[in-house]
Amino acid sequence: MNEIQDIEDRISTLAPRGFMCGYHIRFSRPVRRVTTYATEWTQEYTRRNMIVADPSVIWGMMNDGALRWSTLERHCDDPMGVMAMARSFGVAYGLSIGVGDPQSRTVCGVAHGSREFSDAEIEELLDLVRRGHEIVGRDLHLRPILIEALEAIACGMTHEQACAHLGISRTALRYRLNAAREALDAQDNRQAIQKAIESGLLSSDSPAGIAHGLPTGPAK
């Protein structure tokens, strides 16, 4: 955790008006989400659910690299006026950054209140976000057979039904569930399923995922 904290501290230094980063967004949910924007802006952004049409987020989800917000309107529409609203809260200059595979994207927005970011700062910020993406991604690996076992239970199957569905014995199912709990540092199957959903390892479309809910904005 010290590695990712050091990276985020450096991003915060380079972005005096704050930043928002969603790491490894899977099934519409980031594994880790951090924001240092002013509370007033974060609350307004969340209240209006602006994330659904935020051009800075959309660009980051669809592109690799970094783009100054001053040129963002050439690439993405802004039907909700997110960028104008941001400027009214003093978030005037910034960058959109996107890295990673389409199935597991990291998107970061960084802001400056008085000037554009320099080319050198953009290069450093992009490198920091890429390193953060790699660090957070280290803990996201769970063998497919363990995910399948958790998914079967998350869908409401009994152990007997899960065994029939997976074509394995009860002993094998217990082993896989135990291994998944251990890997996720969970006390029981319910907690393991919840952690797997939060980590983007299971789809939130499962009954367990729908019950857990989706994020509503860039708040911590």
Side-chain angles (χ1 to χ4, degrees), residues 114-126:
S114 60
R115 62 171 176 82
E116 295 276 18
F117 287 98
S118 69
D119 290 346
E121 288 170 330
I122 293 174
E123 185 176 348
E124 182 177 357
L125 284 162
L126 181 55

Side-chain angles (χ1 to χ4, degrees), residues 15 17 23 31 49 110 114 118 121 145 161 192-193 201-202 219:
R17 273 294 179 175
Y23 297 91
V31 170
N49 204 23
V110 298
S114 60
S118 69
E121 288 170 330
I145 62 171
Q161 290 170 332
I193 290 166
L201 299 171
L202 288 181

